[in-house]
């Protein structure tokens, strides 16, 4: 395992890349409505990222189980937890939820963030799942301080979600991030306090709870990318990229642009 600590100059570059991710997600939020296809959303994101001088990191991202990812964002609808491939046949409808995961490469550094959006009105049960998953993300971030361990983040997220009766996906994790989209360490959403790598100031990690309304078990689609819940119930996914500090972690990505709409 090789963990790269970032300088303040490098963190500033990561802040810029992550700001662009937040702006991209906010741009997509303007278009999320019944009748739009996930492929249309992908085209909007690709153009927006390139117009701002960056590259969409996800496009052609390698897959050890199959071909490279064929789109610029992941669009995961309802029971798809993560890595949904945008296409023309997936049309959003009233009551859906869609997790959009977005990555940018700008000035040599990566940004990565995800947000689960509602399409029109959703049930109170689904709304609560989204709210609790986002709350779990911020609980995890609060545990990410220099001197703590990755397991402190992991157990915080797990305890918060399981105490509400939700499933915590174990096959997928958060990760370090920097010049590469995925760096060490892995950041699971389950674990034990005091375990895992020591958190040090200058570490940059992506924390991303992937939480299910029902059972935590997942299956891989035939496309070898999309991961969905085995029981077909909805899942939510929220992600921030952060920089570990001696005190409170700094959130480099942003939901503010989305939630201003």
């Amino acid at each position: 395992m090789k963990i790269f600590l970032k300088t303040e100059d490098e963190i500033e570059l990561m802040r810029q890349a992550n700001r662009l991710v937040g702006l991209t997600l906010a741009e997509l939020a303007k278009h999320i409505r019944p009748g739009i296809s996930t492929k249309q959303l992908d085209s909007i994101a690709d153009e927006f990222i390139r117009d701002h001088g960056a590259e969409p990191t996800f496009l052609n991202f390698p897959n050890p189980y199959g071909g490279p990812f064929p789109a610029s964002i992941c669009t995961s609808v309802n029971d798809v937890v993560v890595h949904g491939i945008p296409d023309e046949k997936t049309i959003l409808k009233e009551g859906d939820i869609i997790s959009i995961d977005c990555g940018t490469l700008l000035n040599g550094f990566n940004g990565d963030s995800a947000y689960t959006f509602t399409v029109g009105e959703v049930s109170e049960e689904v709304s609560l799942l989204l709210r609790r998953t986002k709350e779990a993300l911020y609980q995890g971030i609060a545990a990410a301080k220099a001197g703590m361990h990755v397991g402190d983040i992991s157990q915080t997220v797990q305890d918060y979600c399981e105490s509400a009766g939700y499933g915590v996906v174990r096959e997928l994790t958060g990760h370090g991030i920097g010049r590469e989209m995925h760096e060490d360490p892995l950041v699971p959403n389950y674990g034990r306090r005091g375990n895992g790598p020591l958190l040090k100031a200058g570490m940059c990690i992506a924390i991303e709870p992937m939480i299910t309304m029902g059972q935590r078990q997942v299956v891989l689609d035939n496309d070898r990318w999309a991961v969905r819940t085995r029981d077909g119930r909805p899942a939510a996914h929220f992600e921030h990229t952060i920089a570990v500090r001696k005190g409170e972690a700094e959130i480099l990505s942003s939901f503010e642009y989305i939630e201003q709409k």
Side-chain angles (χ1 to χ4, degrees), residues 78-203:
N78 296 333
D79 64 328
V80 179
V81 185
V82 288
H83 304 161
I85 298 175
D87 60 26
E88 294 177 354
K89 67 181 181 181
T90 304
I91 308 295
L92 298 184
K93 62 182 186 302
E94 182 82 15
D96 282 344
I97 57 174
I98 177 171
S99 163
I100 299 183
D101 197 350
C102 179
T104 64
L105 179 63
L106 180 65
N107 297 322
F109 283 87
N110 285 279
D112 189 12
S113 183
Y115 196 94
T116 303
F117 299 88
T118 59
V119 184
E121 296 295 322
V122 301
S123 70
E124 179 56 35
E125 186 180 31
V126 169
S127 180
L128 185 59
L129 170 68
L130 270 55
R131 186 162 75 246
R132 290 275 170 80
T133 303
K134 187 162 71 167
E135 289 169 355
L137 169 61
Y138 286 104
Q139 293 273 338
I141 292 170
K145 298 178 181 179
M148 306 291 275
H149 289 78
V150 167
D152 294 288
I153 302 171
S154 305
Q155 186 174 350
T156 297
V157 172
Q158 181 181 11
D159 287 353
Y160 188 81
C161 293
E162 289 185 348
S163 68
Y166 298 127
V168 178
V169 175
R170 299 192 176 205
E171 291 81 0
L172 302 152
T173 72
H175 50 89
I177 182 171
R179 290 188 181 276
E180 301 294 332
M181 173 62 73
H182 292 154
E183 298 181 354
D184 290 329
L186 296 179
V187 185
N189 294 305
Y190 71 99
R192 293 178 59 190
R193 299 187 197 283
N195 283 8
L198 180 69
L199 298 174
K200 298 180 181 181
M203 287 175 62

